Amino acid sequence: MSKLITMKEAAELFKDNMTVMSGGFMGVGAPEKLVTAILDSNVQDITLISSDTALEDTGVGPLIANNRVKKVIASHIGTNPMTGKKMIAGELDVELVPQGTLAERVHAGGAGLGGVLTPTGVGTVVEEGKETLEIDGAKYLIEKPLRADIAILKAYKADKAGNLVFHQSARNFNPVMALAADLVIVEVEELVEIGDLDPDTVVTPGVLVDKVLA
Amino acid sequence: MTTLKTAKEVIAERVAKEMSNGDLVNLGIGLPTMVPNYLPEGIDVILQSENGFVGLGPVKSEVSKDLVNAGGQPTGINHSGAFFDSLLSFALIRGGHVDVTVLGGLEVDRHGNLANWIIPGKMVPGMGGAMDLVTGAKKVIVAMEHCSKKGAAKILNECNLPLTGKGVVDLIVTELAVFRVTDDGFVLEELQDGANIEMVKEKTEATFTISSNLKIKQFS
């Protein structure tokens, strides 16, 4: 069965109230075509998991500006003033998570782990409301796994089996998010034939990828 | 003739002296990025960028849309550099593989607490990677101007703002002084050029002791 889908088919996969996680760091390595597909789909009340909310007009930023998101789980929202404005106005729920903790929570969600023990955030507001554990004299926060209904990712190259290769710092959260969603959709700069990628250079195996935007 | 250095240049120059050859270093946005300009002869460090690589360097020939630093600005990578994903990047940070991190600060207190990520009601950008960095890096240096723009003390007995990390700061470098954080509070280790103890006391809310080896920097 072909993994290739069109923009129209991609747009139909999104539903109201879904949790969507997106690769990208300040818009770099973010799937902007798939963001457009979400905008085209008219879905509302998304819970968005992403490193940051990029700029107003890059990466996942337009999802915020166009009122598609009810909750953001991210490490940084400062470069997209719309996120802060909507948060202060009470229109958007924001959960700020340390970036390394975000990566590990997504990993836990995709790796079948019940959570993560991390020292990051101990003694700060991040600790509030969380269980802690002391192991060999050191205190750790118990951070819960994160999963999504759909992960939207960006790769440099994919073959038609969904094997992914990334470019420079555009890799960021994309590989770990490929583990942690029920449906994984990838947008690529170059689609190649099966056999064109050296298996040694593949970063994310195609078995994790459900759909590739043609 | 010597041109007068700005406060930021004085701070960056002093922080650079804390680096050892071969250190893996993460620099925060702003002032900390000036530190490599002042590395002493024979000291080379490897810069880590938390969005997923080591070997951060100046942009070479062409700007790449896929290569930015942690502030989202175009950057370059050295020949010995390597790219990886966010999971590995923060394993490097949290796992103690980063030797030194240099960050700005809004407040630091005598327990080594650092506040630099939020001013409730005013500025809520998020902590990004800062909480992981101060937790995991072997040495945490706060590089900041001694007082706020309004002249308020930033080196305090107790932080007022929400913390980035508890008991994490090793060293504070300002344009006036260098403080080491110890179990017994702040120790004034150095006076920068033109500073004296009275001046530092006046601009520092926290109590501190004075090192028996207090260094006084001469005009260089």
Side-chain angles (χ1 to χ4, degrees):
Chain A
M1 198 183 81
S2 172
K3 292 186 178 183
L4 300 185
I5 54 168
T6 63
M7 275 288 277
K8 190 166 174 293
E9 288 167 330
E12 286 164 3
L13 296 169
F14 298 94
K15 308 287 176 221
D16 290 352
N17 290 301
M18 271 188 166
T19 298
V20 175
M21 57 173 67
S22 175
F25 179 98
M26 306 266 283
V28 172
E32 295 193 338
K33 284 181 193 159
L34 288 168
V35 167
T36 303
I38 295 175
L39 293 175
D40 291 346
S41 75
N42 287 320
V43 298
Q44 308 283 337
D45 296 327
I46 292 168
T47 295
L48 177 68
I49 302 169
S50 187
S51 166
D52 51 71
T53 51
L55 311 180
E56 280 181 43
D57 57 350
T58 68
V60 295
L63 295 178
I64 306 289
N66 289 282
N67 301 313
R68 301 312 177 84
V69 180
K70 69 173 176 192
K71 181 176 181 180
V72 171
I73 301 174
S75 72
H76 200 273
I77 60 170
T79 52
N80 184 344
M82 291 296 276
T83 311
K85 264 184 216 158
K86 288 176 189 291
M87 179 180 70
I88 288 162
E91 296 165 10
L92 181 64
D93 186 13
V94 176
E95 178 183 344
L96 290 169
V97 180
Q99 203 169 116
T101 300
L102 186 68
E104 289 294 347
R105 288 180 68 189
V106 171
H107 179 241
L113 301 174
V116 183
L117 299 178
T118 178
T120 301
V122 168
T124 76
V125 294
V126 171
E127 181 178 335
E128 286 173 11
K130 287 180 184 145
E131 287 182 67
T132 61
L133 264 185
E134 197 172 297
I135 295 174
D136 294 337
K139 188 175 173 182
Y140 297 91
L141 304 186
I142 300 178
E143 294 276 9
K144 290 185 176 171
L146 280 174
R147 284 189 63 86
D149 296 304
I150 299 183
I152 55 172
L153 310 181
K154 168 80 184 287
Y156 177 52
K157 280 186 188 178
D159 66 15
K160 288 178 178 171
N163 291 303
L164 306 181
V165 171
F166 298 93
H167 187 229
Q168 298 179 322
S169 64
R171 188 181 310 191
N172 54 66
F173 274 81
N174 285 296
V176 74
M177 286 180 170
L179 286 164
D182 295 345
L183 185 74
V184 175
I185 314 174
V186 182
E187 159 186 341
V188 295
E189 291 193 21
E190 192 183 343
L191 183 64
V192 299
E193 293 299 324
I194 290 173
D196 285 354
L197 295 180
D198 176 356
D200 263 331
T201 66
V202 171
V203 171
T204 296
V207 291
L208 294 173
V209 174
D210 299 298
K211 304 286 178 192
V212 179
L213 192 63
Chain B
M1 202 181 87
T2 316
T3 47
L4 211 55
K5 288 186 186 115
T6 65
K8 285 177 181 174
E9 287 168 340
V10 169
I11 296 165
E13 185 174 14
R14 178 58 188 81
V15 170
K17 294 197 172 80
E18 293 296 314
M19 307 294 160
S20 300
N21 200 30
D23 274 353
L24 180 57
V25 177
N26 186 295
L27 301 174
I29 294 163
L31 194 166
T33 60
M34 294 163 63
V35 170
N37 303 337
Y38 298 97
L39 285 172
E41 187 86 16
I43 302 290
D44 284 317
V45 300
I46 302 159
L47 298 180
Q48 194 235 9
S49 194
E50 62 255 39
N51 51 328
F53 57 107
V54 293
L56 179 123
V59 175
K60 282 177 232 156
S61 56
E62 267 179 59
V63 166
S64 164
K65 71 173 173 49
D66 288 337
L67 185 46
V68 297
N69 62 21
Q73 299 303 310
T75 190
I77 186 166
N78 301 331
H79 289 304
S80 59
F83 292 109
F84 34 79
D85 73 344
S86 301
L87 195 66
L88 180 70
S89 191
F90 281 89
L92 285 177
I93 288 169
R94 206 186 313 95
H97 307 280
V98 171
D99 296 295
V100 186
T101 186
V102 185
L103 306 93
L106 296 169
E107 293 177 349
V108 185
D109 73 25
R110 65 197 163 100
H111 312 291
N113 297 332
L114 168 66
N116 76 349
W117 73 280
I118 183 172
I119 303 173
K122 278 189 185 167
M123 180 195 83
V124 190
M127 68 292 277
M131 285 193 179
D132 299 284
L133 279 161
V134 299
T135 302
K138 285 186 199 150
K139 187 173 184 177
V140 176
I141 300 175
V142 176
M144 64 178 189
E145 292 186 54
H146 205 93
C147 294
S148 74
K149 284 191 182 117
K150 289 181 179 168
K154 296 163 76 176
I155 303 174
L156 310 174
N157 283 317
E158 311 287 339
C159 286
N160 300 305
L161 294 169
L163 300 183
T164 309
K166 192 177 175 186
V168 294
V169 177
D170 296 296
L171 200 72
I172 305 171
V173 178
T174 78
E175 75 281 17
L176 299 181
V178 178
F179 286 105
R180 194 165 298 280
V181 182
T182 71
D183 292 344
D184 300 318
F186 288 124
V187 178
L188 176 65
E189 294 281 350
E190 260 178 72
L191 290 170
Q192 298 273 29
D193 182 44
N196 58 54
I197 291 174
E198 287 65 39
M199 189 190 287
V200 171
K201 274 190 177 159
E202 193 191 307
K203 295 187 172 191
T204 306
E205 186 218 86
T207 52
F208 58 85
T209 55
I210 297 165
S211 168
S212 53
N213 281 321
L214 180 71
K215 288 183 202 144
I216 299 171
K217 195 186 168 201
Q218 300 298 323
F219 217 94
S220 57

